Amino acid sequence: MLCRMAEASGPDSSRRVTIHDVARSAGVSRQTVSRALNGKDEIERSTKQRVLDAARELGYRPSRFARGLVRQDTTTIGLVIPDLRNPFFTEVAASALESARARGWHVVVYDTADRPEEELGTLQVIGSQVDGVVGYFSCDEDELDRWTRGMPMVLIGREHRMARFSSIRIDGEAGVHAAVTHLVAKGHTMIGMLDHVNRAEPSLRRDWFTAAALAHGIDPGRVAGAAQSADGGGEGLRALLGAHPEVTAVFTFNDIVAVGALREARRLGRRVPAELAVIGFDGLQLGALVEPPLSSVALDTRLLGSLAVEQVGRLLTGADPLPPEALEVRAELRLAGSA
Amino acid sequence: MLCRMAEASGPDSSRRVTIHDVARSAGVSRQTVSRALNGKDEIERSTKQRVLDAARELGYRPSRFARGLVRQDTTTIGLVIPDLRNPFFTEVAASALESARARGWHVVVYDTADRPEEELGTLQVIGSQVDGVVGYFSCDEDELDRWTRGMPMVLIGREHRMARFSSIRIDGEAGVHAAVTHLVAKGHTMIGMLDHVNRAEPSLRRDWFTAAALAHGIDPGRVAGAAQSADGGGEGLRALLGAHPEVTAVFTFNDIVAVGALREARRLGRRVPAELAVIGFDGLQLGALVEPPLSSVALDTRLLGSLAVEQVGRLLTGADPLPPEALEVRAELRLAGSA
DNA sequence: CCCCGTCCCGTGAACGTTCACGGGAACGTT
DNA sequence: AACGTTCCCGTGAACGTTCACGGGACGGGG
């Protein structure tokens, strides 16, 4: 009489084990089972143990949906990332997870595998599973709007037009200016750039570079494209030096590309920073692992992730959203061995 | 008469907007609203549009809990990772996300921040939010059992005792043996190792190294501990060379440590691989970024992640679980410039 | 004129849990 | 003996959605 028959021996064994089954098996009511499982106190010790045993015996697991329906306390946000293996996004994701955990939120992560066409599908699926979304999107704003149906969204590193969106701006103007200033101070006058390739419009970082170069009376035209990978950085550097052999310093779209350029420079026999100075963008931890360590216009990825989470939180609780000027991450030059 | 009053102007504005509100506002029934929103067909074009407008006007968003309760189709798994910023775990996580996405599952990611005491809290919270768990756990198996209450679990890189757990075994014996063999063939006889520090028991990788060294008649005692970071690898190498100056080759616990050792070797003025050969473990993409590229006993992280997801899937659908011999990832030597 | 089919829409029921309330038993107090 | 307290426990209701079913309106064919 200690326990009734266990396992799948009921009339239809495919049905889910509910709180009712446990109650019946333990000879008590639903509410008592609920009390036992949730550690409420209006219950006798022996009864509690009996219920717990019955639950274990039947393999009972409460339905998160039913529970979530009645107590509206769990919030879940979606994090959309183009490529988790890219160290930059890894850091942003880690920071976002950190901030979310501090608030007791759950984070569902989606990796769109760098395919913009995946974004819509993801959005559609996400829309019915989370309370808000944070992340990177490359598709059109109207498309975003169509698929998210009024869900709070925070876009990272991208401008927004519609009021219901929010976005974290990345301001690298001062940082890039400082980088060019530093290179000039070191005596460089022929400064090139490895820009993002495969994009319709020239990158913002390219604009910042151009402005900084012009401010120092430097020709900003020495630019080559590079695919977003270390190999891409290597090839980009070869192309740049092929077209502009006079270049003695390079600013790159990001650190991955910079690391590739660094590796290629070594292979070409050019000493860094003596014969070729390199400054990246992002300030990844990765930059400290290579030799010489990478100088970079560093972004505070921790701040980036936490700002995004903070803002989506305000949007979905209805609190005052952060003003645009607070939603800005300023990049600043961090010098190491490579420049 | 196009649309009723919008915004929060009801009697109590704090209540959630339900499908009922939309129905009332559009002058139809719940079911019709449901039809419009879910793209069912038994509905007239104009009605559908009217409902959609009303929904948008009111800012209606369906409750994922209510929906999940009635249609039992969405499955969500939890992914528990000690430190997402660690490139190895990043790769495993990315692979797991990939596999889950292919199955249409959602993945909630938890980063325990390398603190074992966080695991229990995570587990407790996770238990009521996901259908199954995949990941790394360092705490006791009984503790795991206590907090998960019969939820399917797949442990990675760790043995299990209880039947309800499943685990992915990592077999590096042959790979480490091959690594040592290769070093011996290159003429090395004084081979050291940088092991994981801060662990109660010596690591499995250490055991594999010891066995391989003995098989070649090599003293396996030249070992130093290293913290799990690049800096740790550097310090470890200094300690190892301090205690055993005769060492000409090093096998490390993992690639991060190896990269640190590589960097330190350069700083010490020892040429790699001529004066110091280095072989890591894990086979991270990171290894290709440093100079010289890192040789490593490589793990197929993609397989690792997909196996774990596959197995947790079988456990929670009740399909035949994969047998232990299929739940094994074999590491194999991948040579590059560093050895 | 009746019957049947198609198109569109609405009504009860169910999903599985927790909350608010009520109530009986045992015990002590006036 | 009547009454208040404390300790356990059970019963309706509610959460918000979808499914299964039923039914009215309309049109066409016999």
Side-chain angles (χ1 to χ4, degrees), chain B residues 46-286:
Chain B
S46 64
T47 312
K48 181 170 178 176
Q49 193 53 50
R50 188 155 40 97
V51 170
L52 257 38
D53 289 342
R56 161 169 301 250
E57 196 74 25
L58 297 176
Y60 167 72
R61 301 209 324 104
S63 153
R64 66 170 178 282
F65 294 117
R67 172 173 298 187
L69 189 55
V70 51
R71 12 191 309 203
Q72 329 248 37
D73 50 359
T74 57
T75 59
T76 302
I77 67 172
L79 176 63
V80 179
I81 292 283
D83 177 21
L84 192 62
R85 285 180 232 260
N86 179 320
F88 176 71
F89 296 123
T90 307
E91 292 193 13
V92 173
S95 308
L97 286 181
E98 222 172 287
S99 301
R101 160 176 279 259
R103 290 172 170 76
W105 297 346
H106 302 251
V107 182
V108 188
V109 180
Y110 301 86
D111 188 328
T112 53
D114 257 331
R115 279 187 304 241
E117 65 270 22
E118 291 277 355
E119 290 181 9
L120 278 349
T122 299
L123 237 5
Q124 193 177 7
V125 137
I126 233 181
S128 54
Q129 283 296 327
V130 301
D131 302 309
V133 173
V134 160
Y136 288 84
F137 291 93
S138 62
C139 67
D140 186 65
E141 204 162 322
D142 292 313
E143 293 280 0
L144 285 184
D145 184 54
R146 178 197 313 280
W147 292 106
T148 54
R149 295 235 159 265
M151 190 168 39
M153 284 198 62
V154 177
L155 277 31
I156 309 183
R158 166 181 173 162
E159 302 299 318
H160 68 283
R161 217 174 54 244
M162 302 192 186
R164 47 169 290 243
F165 293 136
S166 201
S167 66
I168 314 289
R169 232 172 68 82
I170 291 177
D171 181 10
E173 192 173 357
V176 174
H177 189 90
V180 173
T181 302
H182 174 260
L183 290 175
V184 169
K186 287 286 186 179
H188 297 280
T189 53
M190 306 300 179
I191 306 178
M193 175 175 178
L194 293 181
D195 193 17
H196 196 303
V197 81
N198 295 339
R199 269 202 184 166
E201 34 193 321
S203 67
L204 266 178
R205 302 179 192 185
R206 165 88 177 268
D207 294 341
W208 296 330
F209 171 72
T210 302
L214 289 177
H216 286 86
I218 287 179
D219 176 10
R222 301 185 179 88
V223 177
Q228 293 308 293
S229 66
D231 290 340
E235 293 168 20
L237 182 64
R238 270 210 309 281
L240 180 66
L241 292 179
H244 308 280
E246 72 279 13
V247 162
T248 61
V250 184
F251 168 65
T252 68
F253 182 83
N254 68 21
D255 281 357
I256 310 284
V257 169
V259 166
L262 229 50
R263 192 180 54 179
E264 186 65 22
R266 181 181 309 276
R267 289 177 184 167
L268 293 175
R270 292 186 71 146
R271 307 194 71 81
V272 178
E275 297 167 18
L276 186 73
V278 176
I279 298 186
F281 193 102
D282 279 349
L284 301 185
Q285 297 176 359
L286 166 66

Side-chain angles (χ1 to χ4, degrees), chain A residues 256-325:
Chain A
I256 310 284
V257 168
V259 166
L262 230 50
R263 193 180 53 179
E264 187 65 21
R266 182 181 308 278
R267 289 179 183 165
L268 293 175
R270 292 187 73 144
R271 309 194 69 83
V272 177
E275 297 169 17
L276 185 74
V278 177
I279 298 186
F281 193 103
D282 278 349
L284 301 185
Q285 297 176 359
L286 166 66
L289 300 185
V290 296
E291 193 60 29
L294 185 64
S295 294
S296 185
V297 179
L299 233 37
D300 188 344
T301 51
R302 205 168 296 252
L303 178 61
L304 203 56
S306 79
L307 269 184
V309 170
E310 166 74 23
Q311 177 74 344
V312 82
R314 291 182 178 233
L315 289 181
L316 58 83
T317 59
D320 294 335
L322 292 169
E325 59 268 23

Side-chain angles (χ1 to χ4, degrees), chain A residues 193-209:
Chain A
M193 174 175 179
L194 294 181
D195 193 16
H196 196 303
V197 80
N198 294 338
R199 271 201 183 167
E201 33 193 323
S203 67
L204 266 177
R205 303 180 191 185
R206 164 86 178 268
D207 294 340
W208 296 329
F209 170 73

Side-chain angles (χ1 to χ4, degrees), chain A residues 76-204:
Chain A
T76 303
I77 67 171
L79 176 63
V80 179
I81 293 283
D83 176 20
L84 191 62
R85 285 179 233 261
N86 179 322
F88 176 72
F89 295 124
T90 306
E91 291 193 14
V92 173
S95 307
L97 286 181
E98 223 172 286
S99 301
R101 159 177 281 260
R103 290 170 169 78
W105 296 348
H106 301 251
V107 181
V108 188
V109 181
Y110 300 85
D111 188 328
T112 52
D114 257 331
R115 280 187 302 241
E117 66 271 21
E118 291 277 354
E119 289 180 10
L120 279 348
T122 299
L123 237 8
Q124 192 177 9
V125 137
I126 234 180
S128 55
Q129 283 296 326
V130 301
D131 303 309
V133 173
V134 160
Y136 288 84
F137 292 92
S138 62
C139 66
D140 186 65
E141 203 161 322
D142 292 313
E143 293 279 0
L144 285 183
D145 184 54
R146 178 197 311 279
W147 292 106
T148 54
R149 296 234 158 265
M151 187 168 41
M153 284 199 61
V154 177
L155 277 29
I156 308 183
R158 165 182 174 161
E159 302 300 317
H160 69 283
R161 215 175 54 245
M162 302 193 187
R164 46 170 291 243
F165 294 136
S166 200
S167 66
I168 314 289
R169 232 174 67 83
I170 291 176
D171 182 8
E173 192 172 357
V176 173
H177 188 90
V180 172
T181 302
H182 174 259
L183 290 175
V184 168
K186 287 287 187 179
H188 297 279
T189 53
M190 306 300 178
I191 306 178
M193 174 175 179
L194 294 181
D195 193 16
H196 196 303
V197 80
N198 294 338
R199 271 201 183 167
E201 33 193 323
S203 67
L204 266 177

